Amino acid sequence: MTEEEKLNTEEEENILDQQEQTEEAEQQQTATETADEEKDPLDVALAEIEELKKQALYKAAEFDNYRKRTLKERAELILNGGEKAITAILPVLDDMERAIDNGKKTDDPEVLREGMELIYHKLLKVLEAQGVSTIDTDNEDFNTDVHEAVAMVPGMGDDKKGKVIDCLQKGYKLNDKVIRHAKVAVGQ
């Protein structure tokens, strides 16, 4: 007997079993309906109320379990949500440690400066991969959505009025949401 024939035979047996189970269920339902007709309507209603109470209790317990599970998952997300970002920054921390160790071995400030620039650019790339971007301030119009004016510079002329003159501290966005406003000096 081939496997296909075995599968067909098993399927036929499953179909026959299902038909038998359906017939048995119909017979039990008919017997129950007959018994219900003989029972007092009050008893039937009370039994139905008890059944509905059980169902309501099960649903309430099920919902309570769902609520507890989602609260636990949410707490875990809050607690461990920064794991991805921290893991991405760790190689930059390793580079900083190596730079500090190697800085003790050399007196050349140019070598140290180059090393720091390389680490800085690596950190910027890691942050960009996480969705962080810098806010442009060069020759931009002052925008309160992304800039914070910390100084007003008078006498810059009409062409510099309302424009960013100098950036005192860079601002950053995370996925188009400002996480730190750029602190700027604005022409008056």
Side-chain angles (χ1 to χ4, degrees), residues 79-90:
L79 187 64
N80 299 323
E83 180 179 352
K84 180 180 173 187
I86 299 298
T87 304
I89 292 175
L90 288 178

Side-chain angles (χ1 to χ4, degrees), residues 130-184:
Q130 297 298 317
V132 176
S133 61
T134 58
I135 296 173
D136 289 330
T137 56
D138 293 337
N139 296 322
E140 293 283 324
D141 289 332
F142 178 70
N143 181 353
T144 57
D145 292 335
V146 293
H147 302 129
E148 178 183 340
V150 292
M152 299 294 283
V153 182
M156 295 300 294
D158 288 340
D159 60 329
K160 295 286 186 177
K161 188 174 184 179
K163 295 266 188 190
V164 173
I165 304 298
D166 188 24
C167 180
L168 304 172
Q169 185 179 47
K170 284 186 177 182
Y172 295 94
K173 291 181 180 181
L174 176 62
N175 300 324
D176 294 328
K177 179 186 178 221
V178 176
I179 56 174
R180 185 171 85 181
H181 289 82
K183 295 185 180 182
V184 297

